[in-house]
C-alpha cells in the first residue's frame, strides 16, 4: 500500500491512469484501524490490477474534504483521476469493499 500525503495525492491518484483504491483513515478512527489488516490482504489479492493507496486524513484534512470524504472509514476507487465509487462508515465492511473492488477488477 502506497502512503499518500498532500504532496503526492494529485500525482498518485488524480493524475494516475487506470484504477486507484484509496483508504481514507485516521489514527483516531478505530473502525479504520480494525479494517486495515484485511484491506492490506485485499491489496495482495487485487494489487496487480488496482493500485492500492492510503491517506491519513489527520495530516490532510483539507484534501479529504475536497475529495468529499465526510466520514471515516471511507474507501474509494478512482479511475483516471475521477472518483467512481466508494463505501463509507457503516457500509465499509470487508465484503462490501471487496465487492466494490471486483466491479472494477
Amino acid at each position: 500500500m502506497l502512503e499518500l500525503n498532500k504532496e503526492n495525492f494529485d500525482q498518485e491518484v488524480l493524475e494516475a491512469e487506470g484504477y486507484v483504491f484509496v483508504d481514507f483513515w485516521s489514527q483516531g478512527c478505530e473502525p479504520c484501524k480494525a479494517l486495515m489488516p484485511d484491506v492490506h490482504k485485499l491489496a495482495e489479492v487485487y494489487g496487480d490490477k488496482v493500485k492500492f493507496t492510503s491517506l491519513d486524513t489527520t495530516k490532510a484534512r483539507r484534501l479529504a474534504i475536497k475529495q468529499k470524504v465526510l466520514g471515516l472509514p471511507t474507501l474509494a476507487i478512482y479511475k483516471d483521476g475521477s472518483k467512481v465509487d466508494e463505501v463509507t462508515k457503516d457500509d465499509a465492511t470487508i465484503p462490501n469493499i471487496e465487492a466494490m473492488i471486483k466491479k472494477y477488477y
Side-chain angles (χ1 to χ4, degrees):
M1 299 263 298
L2 176 70
E3 290 290 324
L4 298 173
N5 55 46
K6 288 181 278 200
E7 285 74 39
N8 71 358
F9 186 88
D10 285 4
Q11 179 187 348
E12 296 293 346
V13 180
L14 302 182
E15 296 165 11
E17 289 185 16
Y19 292 105
V20 181
F21 175 94
V22 183
D23 177 1
F24 293 95
W25 68 285
S26 81
Q27 291 291 340
C29 172
E30 292 306 321
C32 299
K33 291 192 275 191
L35 284 172
M36 206 166 280
D38 290 319
V39 170
H40 282 258
K41 286 182 191 148
L42 292 174
E44 289 171 21
V45 175
Y46 300 104
D48 59 330
K49 292 272 197 298
V50 178
K51 178 163 74 171
F52 278 77
T53 66
S54 66
L55 177 73
D56 181 350
T57 59
T58 311
K59 300 173 187 158
R61 200 171 301 275
R62 281 198 182 114
L63 175 59
I65 291 166
K66 195 172 163 191
Q67 292 302 311
K68 297 182 172 54
V69 174
L70 305 175
L72 294 176
T74 292
L75 302 105
I77 292 194
Y78 290 75
K79 180 174 192 263
D80 300 332
S82 298
K83 189 189 293 183
V84 292
D85 210 344
E86 71 178 10
V87 291
T88 189
K89 297 184 186 162
D90 294 341
D91 292 330
T93 63
I94 289 303
N96 286 352
I97 295 164
E98 187 167 17
M100 176 181 71
I101 293 166
K102 283 182 172 176
K103 277 198 270 182
Y104 305 100
Y105 184 72

